[in-house]
Structures are given as structure tokens and as C-alpha cells.
Amino acid sequence: MTNRLALAALLAALTMPAFAYAAEIDWNKVDAALGKSAVLSGDVHRYGLPRSDLKVTLDGVAIKPALALGGWVAFAPMGDEAMVMGDLVLLETEITPVMTKLLDGGLDITAIHNHILRASPATFYMHVGGHGDPEKMATVIRSALASSKTPFDPPTTGAAPAPAIDLDTAKLDEIMGVKGTATGGVYQFGVPRRDPPLEMGMKVTGPLGGANAINFQPTGNGKAAITGDFLVTGNEVSPLIRALRANDIEVTAIHSHMLDEQPRMFFIHFWANDDALKLARGVRAALEKTAIAKS
């Protein structure tokens, strides 16, 4: 009995500091430093940074921020510190000044690239990462984005409500095998992988950018513009892009977002504007070539 009590006491002593450290993060200060309120998913604090200031068109479609301009950063607690990951939407002229301030503040740049093609104006996506004091990292991110026109002001009172999703969303849910969410006039799907990759020993879950993201923006008469990204291992790249092309979905980029994830992952971006149900079937066929979680 004595040995059991001693073991229990030892285990309690070992686990208590972790809880104490986690409790020391004052997320209200992180919110204040970034000038945003987080959406909490488990223990991940995610902040939306949509480029609602930009008027971007692609193949005659006016791109809504929720379709392809939705920047974000997310913080996952690691003891009394945090890991940050994010994706900043920038114009070409904003890349260098934003990067310089992020680097000077101790954060890492893990990727810069396009997600879509032929957009006017052209948009680029800067992926950031880091580990440390979340309030300090939030301060650096806010300061860096001051070199861009990324809006931080809250929506004005009486702003127009988001337009209705003029699509058969129930049928889309059925085809995709998961339930979508209406956000800013766009119908969004997050399809997790069966085994999320690890970064710094932590699972890269959906809120950290570790899920297949599929977005549908209605374009009239049952059609939709779709874009997003698939998260795949190297051996899944060719089967997936072949499935996309077989369904007349354009592959617009193949690249990495992270640096040290295990296993190595690639992100495949895409675009099409066609019958929404037809496109959903094509996307689902592509997903079946990957190790997605079964619903």
C-alpha cells in the first residue's frame, strides 16, 4: 500500500507542473496583442485574418474571402508556451516587408506560394511558424501585418448578412461524406486525415491546417467555384491529381506548408467552376485516393 501511495504521489508531482504551466497562458492578452478574438477548438486558439479589403476576380468570379482569401494563425499550448502556425494572404508588394518583420521578431517562414492561378490582383500565401511566448508571437504577427493592408477593425454595426448558400447543401454533404459549414457565403468542408501528421511532437489537427479543405462558392444555376487544398503523403500525390484531372478539376499548386512534419506532407490546391454536385463527386473521388478518416 505504501508503495502504491508513493507512486501516486510521484505521478501527481510529475503531472501538476504541466497543468500549472498551461494555466499561466493568459489568452486574453494574446487576443489583445493580435487585436482579434480567437475561435477555440479543443485547446487550439485560431484567429481569422480574412483579406476582406481585396477585390479579387478569377475567371469572372468575384472571390469571397472565405473561398480563397481566408488568412489565419493558430496557437496550440505547449506547457507555458505555444506553437503557432498560420497562413497569411498577401499581395506581391506586401511579401517582403511582412516577412522582414516576422523574421526580426523570431518567427519562421515555412512557405510562400500561390494557391490559385490567373487571379487579379495576384495573391500569395505566406506560411508562418514558431514556438515561444504566445503573447509575444501575437505582437510580432500584428506588427508585421501592419506592413500590409490586412484589416483588423471589427465588422461595422449593421453590416449586410452573408448571402444564402444557393446550392443543394444536403446533397453536397451526402456526396462528400461529411457535413459542411456555411461561412461568409461559402460552403466549406474540412475532411480530416486518418492519422494527422506531427510537428514538434504535436498532432497537426484541422484548426492548425491539418485537414483537407474544400470550399464551394455558388456561382448561379447550381454551379459553384471550388478551391482549397488536399493534404497528402508523397505516394498519394499522383493518384490524387490524376483523379482531379479525370474530373476536369484544375490542379493549381503542389507544395509544402511545413518544414519538419512527420510524415512528410504535400498540399495540392485546385480550382473549377462547374455544376456543384458534379464537382463534389470529383473531389470525393480524389479524396478516396488518400488516407482520410472514415465518417
Side-chain angles (χ1 to χ4, degrees), residues 65-81:
L67 181 68
L69 304 173
W72 58 274
V73 291
F75 296 81
M78 299 178 69
D80 59 343
E81 297 185 324

Side-chain angles (χ1 to χ4, degrees), residues 42-292:
D43 61 356
V44 175
H45 292 245
R46 182 173 168 123
Y47 299 83
L49 299 166
R51 290 302 301 263
S52 55
D53 60 306
L54 298 178
K55 307 300 180 185
V56 178
T57 59
L58 171 52
D59 295 346
V61 177
I63 303 295
K64 295 183 183 299
L67 181 68
L69 304 173
W72 58 274
V73 291
F75 296 81
M78 299 178 69
D80 59 343
E81 297 185 324
M83 177 177 74
V84 66
M85 301 179 76
D87 186 4
L88 310 178
V89 182
L90 301 171
L91 296 175
E92 186 174 4
T93 55
E94 297 171 338
I95 292 174
T96 297
V98 171
M99 178 194 294
T100 299
K101 288 191 175 181
L102 289 171
L103 294 175
D104 288 347
L107 292 181
D108 297 324
I109 308 301
T110 61
I112 301 173
H113 45 230
N114 69 291
H115 286 183
I116 51 180
L117 303 173
R118 302 182 303 281
S120 178
T123 52
F124 297 86
Y125 302 80
M126 180 182 292
H127 295 267
V128 301
H131 173 253
D133 182 310
E135 182 184 356
K136 290 180 180 178
M137 293 191 295
T139 300
V140 170
I141 292 166
R142 176 66 188 270
S143 175
L145 286 175
S147 297
S148 74
K149 293 184 178 180
T150 301
F152 279 85
D153 293 334
T156 57
T157 303
I165 304 296
D166 184 22
L167 296 171
D168 187 344
T169 55
K171 189 64 176 178
L172 288 175
D173 291 348
E174 178 185 339
I175 294 170
M176 293 293 296
V178 295
K179 184 167 180 55
T181 302
T183 303
V186 175
Y187 203 59
Q188 300 180 326
F189 292 94
V191 184
R193 285 187 64 86
R194 187 162 57 241
D195 298 307
L198 299 177
E199 176 87 354
M200 299 180 66
M202 296 186 63
K203 287 186 177 181
V204 182
T205 58
L208 289 168
N212 299 282
I214 319 294
N215 302 327
F216 289 73
Q217 178 180 314
T219 54
N221 299 317
K223 296 176 65 176
I226 64 168
T227 191
D229 54 13
F230 296 92
L231 174 60
V232 300
T233 55
N235 64 310
E236 294 170 342
V237 170
S238 289
L240 184 135
I241 64 175
R242 289 179 184 277
L244 289 175
R245 293 303 302 127
N247 286 279
D248 295 323
I249 298 173
E250 183 180 19
V251 176
T252 59
I254 303 172
H255 48 225
S256 61
H257 287 184
M258 299 172 280
L259 298 178
D260 301 309
E261 78 280 7
Q262 297 296 326
R264 192 76 173 120
M265 306 299 297
F266 297 89
F267 291 77
I268 298 177
H269 298 268
F270 58 94
W271 168 264
N273 182 18
D274 204 339
D275 178 82
L277 301 184
K278 170 190 171 184
L279 293 177
R281 294 185 186 96
V283 168
R284 184 65 199 187
L287 284 169
E288 291 295 338
K289 303 297 183 180
T290 72
I292 57 173

